[in-house]
Amino acid sequence: MTLTSVFNRLAMAVLTLLGVGLVVFVLLRVVPGDPVAMMISPSATPADIAALRAHYGLDLPLAEQFFLWLRDLLHLDFGTSISLRRGVLQLIGERLPATLELTFAALVFGILAGGIVAVAGVLLRRTPLEAVMDFVNGLFLAVPDFVWALALVLLVGVLWPIFPLSGRLDPALSTDFYTPFYLLESLARFNWTDVGDVLAHLVMPTLALGLPLAAVIARTLKEALGEAMVQDYVLLARLKGMSETRLVLQEALRNAVGPTLTLTGVQFTFMIGGTVIVERIFAYPGIGNMAIDAVINRDLPLIQGIVLVFGALFIVINIAVDLIADRLNPRQLHG
Amino acid sequence: MTPPLVSIEALSASSVREGGTPVLRDVSLTLERGEVRGLVGESGAGKSTIAKALLGILPETIRITGGWLRFEGRDLLTMPSGELRAMRGRDITLIPQDPQTALNPARTIEAQLTDGLRMKLGLRGTALHARAIELLEEVQIREPDRVLRSYPHQLSGGMRQRILIAAAFAPGPKLVVADEPTTALDVTVQKEILRLMRRMQERHGTAVIFVTHDLGVVAKVCDSVTLLYAGKVIEAGTTADVIERPQHAYTKALIAAGPRYDRPGQGLEPVPEAIFRQLRAELAGTAAKGAP
């Protein structure tokens, strides 16, 4: 991908976000549910309600509200949360790093687990073990993230309590973090107690989010590896005396990874959607968990802000996937 | 007395899928060190099966039913897989048929050319690079430095075949199996590649099994030839003998089927149906003899 096309993609991204913003903005105001009704006391007079509406600008025409919101966005002002009475951008800034650490952990887990299963499956092809692995993988493909979350709560919470089931950090650890990136910061400080604790808290939600991804990667990559393994160049490499493992890793993998990469990008965006429920189940203080509260409270500015951030994440992931795919394909690199 | 480099004795094989149809019937041939032998036949004649058996890559659908396949006196069919793998790529290498698909699109030419040197001869670093350049010069590739850095899609088919030839001769093998190495190339390039193969073979004193369906190619590069039909050796001998004085009617018909550039009015005669009837009768005869 050339610099111009990256620039074009970014320009398209702005348009896409504008569309996302418009749709969310209008939908939130068309569907039933009044943010003001959620926050007033039963004793409030109609005058109180009208004053509150005017305070949040909810009495203005829809188009005017939208343009005011856009104008503020251009100044990086995402508005103020109605329920939490704090800046939306500030709230997102506090919560997004938790979600990024979680989704990144789940992505790494999914790629590693799926990759290992795929390579093992190809090495074991035409053995009885392959059929067993394919069957188990099929089961894993069918189980969505929130079912994993519930199953893990049951397994680890009730039967075998080895990992913490809620939160992000043991409250007993009174470390003061300067950034909301707990994992990165404790790593950078070489504070291994904190690293261990943050990781332990990540295990359960990471498994819930990462297992479906691992299953998809395992299936797709194994298929592609199997196809690559019967190519002439692999046969020739085998005749050079390479071991089967090396044939898979050195000859087949790079040629087979393309479709998996694209699919991983798609799945990764689904996974970010999945954080909403999974973070809720594990009381993980991320942006997805906050999204549910925002929706329950009809917190319009916060919902809009979160949706925009999700949209931006989707776009960034897609551009990143395309850039990586280009890197891996020598045809495009040197064409 | 040292045994011949390759000696195939009464090798028989059959297809598992097609109800045990024989694909090789009592094939015997020997190959001395430094000899170039053509294996000629139409598709299904068994020439590729012999090549694959030598390389140890017979598909699971083909089963050896009898005979021996010896390399330097040792039976390849019963050799432990570890020893076979050690020998592959060092003593026996392959020049594949299609240079478009035989190079890995994701690896540089240098990496693929030097696999054998790294794995079998243990060369590393500058010595490896210098040897890679030498190899490319040997197969007459200009700008070897640029080519080594290239990926396969940046090179022409003839260029890739030169690289595959260089890679096959690189570890100093005793036997190179060439599987129709010019079939996928332009006619103009074919001639250069044949000449190059012959020169490489002579320089290194390597024995070559040359699988082809083209008697014209055999006449150009092979010392001896084995002609197969339906898995049976029809005729074998030195190239000059077989082409000048063919004994079998099928060989004569095949030679007549080749184009005659010197006499444009002749050649390109299809093999007469009567000869196929004769071949089938001979095959039935051996089958009846072989039955208990």
Side-chain angles (χ1 to χ4, degrees):
Chain A
M1 205 152 46
T2 61
L3 209 60
T4 347
S5 66
V6 172
F7 183 80
N8 286 340
R9 291 287 294 271
L10 288 175
M12 279 299 295
V14 172
L15 280 180
T16 310
L17 285 179
L18 197 67
V20 168
L22 180 65
V23 169
V24 162
F25 196 91
V26 172
L27 273 181
L28 284 176
R29 280 156 184 78
V30 170
V31 294
D34 183 352
V36 172
M38 302 295 297
M39 52 199 301
I40 49 169
S41 63
S43 60
T45 62
D48 292 340
I49 296 175
L52 212 51
R53 282 191 163 307
H55 176 73
Y56 288 110
L58 294 169
D59 53 343
L60 300 170
L62 197 60
E64 197 179 340
Q65 285 187 45
F66 183 65
F67 284 110
L68 284 175
W69 181 59
L70 278 190
R71 190 198 62 196
D72 290 346
L73 278 183
L74 285 180
H75 300 101
L76 281 183
D77 177 3
F78 280 59
T80 306
S81 157
I82 295 176
S83 58
L84 301 168
R85 292 165 211 262
R86 288 173 59 204
V88 167
L89 200 58
Q90 191 193 353
L91 286 167
I92 290 174
E94 286 170 12
R95 295 294 199 95
L96 183 60
T99 299
L100 289 181
E101 286 190 349
L102 171 59
T103 47
F104 191 70
L107 178 68
V108 170
F109 169 78
I111 291 173
L112 284 180
I116 290 169
V117 170
V119 169
V122 167
L123 288 174
L124 292 170
R125 64 194 183 284
R126 292 192 299 270
T127 66
L129 214 54
E130 184 196 19
V132 175
M133 285 176 76
D134 282 352
F135 178 73
V136 174
N137 199 30
L139 287 181
F140 275 51
L141 272 175
V143 179
D145 48 17
F146 61 89
V147 174
W148 276 121
L150 295 173
L152 289 167
V153 166
L154 202 67
L155 180 75
V156 174
V158 180
L159 300 175
W160 193 33
I162 45 165
F163 290 113
L165 273 178
S166 72
R168 201 179 171 199
L169 192 70
D170 193 334
L173 292 169
S174 53
T175 317
D176 281 325
F177 284 97
Y178 295 105
T179 68
F181 289 94
Y182 288 4
L183 183 60
L184 291 179
E185 191 181 328
S186 48
L187 278 170
R189 287 172 162 193
F190 304 111
N191 186 339
W192 303 119
T193 323
D194 284 6
V195 170
D197 191 61
V198 173
L199 283 178
H201 279 85
L202 273 175
V203 171
M204 291 295 109
T206 296
L207 283 179
L209 284 172
L211 280 173
L213 178 68
V216 170
I217 291 178
R219 164 72 60 93
T220 326
L221 187 59
K222 184 185 163 227
E223 190 112 334
L225 282 174
E227 279 166 27
M229 286 301 281
V230 297
Q231 297 294 314
D232 283 356
Y233 56 81
V234 174
L235 174 68
L236 189 64
R238 183 177 288 127
L239 289 177
K240 289 174 182 171
M242 273 188 207
S243 68
E244 285 297 307
T245 316
R246 188 146 170 217
L247 286 176
V248 174
L249 296 178
Q250 180 180 299
E251 298 292 324
L253 189 58
R254 238 183 111 173
N255 291 300
V257 85
T260 310
L261 186 72
T262 314
L263 201 69
T264 304
V266 175
Q267 290 292 320
F268 191 42
T269 55
F270 288 164
M271 198 167 81
I272 288 178
T275 58
V276 172
I277 282 183
V278 169
E279 285 183 359
R280 191 66 168 190
I281 293 174
F282 292 104
Y284 188 83
I287 195 174
N289 203 343
M290 187 164 72
I292 291 186
D293 287 328
V295 170
I296 290 173
N297 293 322
R298 307 284 187 274
D299 193 337
L300 302 184
L302 189 54
I303 298 174
Q304 287 158 198
I306 291 173
V307 170
L308 275 191
V309 167
F310 275 148
L313 279 177
F314 281 31
I315 291 166
V316 168
I317 290 165
N318 278 312
I319 294 180
V321 164
D322 287 353
L323 282 172
I324 297 171
D326 278 4
R327 278 262 122 207
L328 289 175
N329 186 350
R331 249 172 262 259
Q332 289 183 17
L333 206 62
H334 304 269
Chain B
M1 199 188 82
T2 51
L5 186 68
V6 175
S7 100
I8 298 175
E9 290 158 43
L11 192 66
S12 294
S14 60
S15 162
V16 176
R17 232 176 242 162
E18 287 154 39
T21 317
V23 287
L24 292 180
R25 307 165 199 249
D26 255 350
V27 171
S28 295
L29 66 86
T30 57
L31 184 74
E32 298 297 337
R33 286 170 179 74
E35 180 184 352
V36 181
R37 178 173 287 267
L39 279 187
V40 190
E42 29 191 282
S43 347
K47 54 192 196 303
S48 305
T49 308
I50 295 174
K52 283 180 183 148
L54 274 170
L55 294 162
I57 50 166
L58 274 181
E60 284 163 10
T61 50
I62 291 179
R63 203 172 39 228
I64 301 284
T65 50
W68 293 267
L69 183 70
R70 294 204 176 91
F71 184 81
E72 297 190 306
R74 304 178 56 208
D75 191 3
L76 288 176
L77 299 174
T78 53
M79 188 179 279
S81 64
E83 278 174 57
L84 200 64
R85 221 182 81 201
M87 208 162 81
R88 269 185 195 165
R90 189 189 63 206
D91 296 334
I92 306 178
T93 61
L94 169 74
I95 298 174
Q97 177 169 11
D98 187 353
Q100 306 297 329
T101 56
L103 286 166
N104 188 334
R107 297 180 69 211
T108 62
I109 297 301
E110 177 155 20
Q112 304 189 56
L113 178 65
T114 55
D115 275 331
L117 298 174
R118 266 180 283 120
M119 291 189 297
K120 299 298 176 183
L121 307 183
L123 285 184
R124 293 285 184 278
T126 47
L128 185 66
H129 183 70
R131 184 78 188 102
I133 288 184
E134 260 173 44
L135 281 168
L136 287 193
E137 281 166 352
E138 213 178 341
V139 293
Q140 291 162 326
I141 286 177
R142 266 166 277 156
E143 298 182 74
D145 265 311
R146 182 184 64 81
V147 172
L148 285 179
R149 281 192 306 273
S150 305
Y151 285 89
H153 71 273
Q154 294 165 301
L155 306 173
S156 69
M159 193 92 122
R160 295 185 201 190
Q161 194 58 290
R162 281 165 193 270
I163 288 158
L164 289 165
I165 290 171
F169 282 97
K174 294 168 181 153
L175 172 67
V176 168
V177 177
D179 180 18
E180 310 213 22
T182 56
T183 322
L185 299 173
D186 282 346
V187 183
T188 47
V189 184
Q190 278 186 13
K191 218 169 156 186
E192 287 170 37
I193 294 292
L194 287 178
R195 222 179 283 142
L196 177 71
M197 280 193 57
R198 185 72 211 197
R199 197 170 46 239
M200 292 290 281
Q201 180 272 328
E202 280 167 6
R203 182 176 302 175
H204 295 266
T206 317
V208 175
I209 293 266
F210 202 111
V211 177
T212 179
H213 56 259
D214 188 345
L215 272 175
V217 168
V218 170
K220 283 196 193 81
V221 293
C222 297
D223 305 318
S224 56
V225 55
T226 297
L227 182 69
L228 296 144
Y229 182 82
K232 185 175 185 296
V233 175
I234 299 297
E235 184 146 5
T238 65
T239 307
D241 278 350
V242 170
I243 290 188
E244 308 281 320
R245 290 174 291 280
Q247 300 298 307
H248 198 282
Y250 178 60
T251 321
K252 288 177 192 160
L254 274 187
I255 292 168
R260 293 289 298 263
Y261 301 106
D262 50 341
R263 289 177 220 156
Q266 294 183 20
L268 297 176
E269 310 292 339
V271 175
E273 186 52 37
I275 290 180
F276 288 117
R277 273 200 297 277
Q278 183 194 336
L279 282 167
R280 280 195 290 272
E282 284 176 26
L283 290 175
T286 45
K289 236 191 294 168

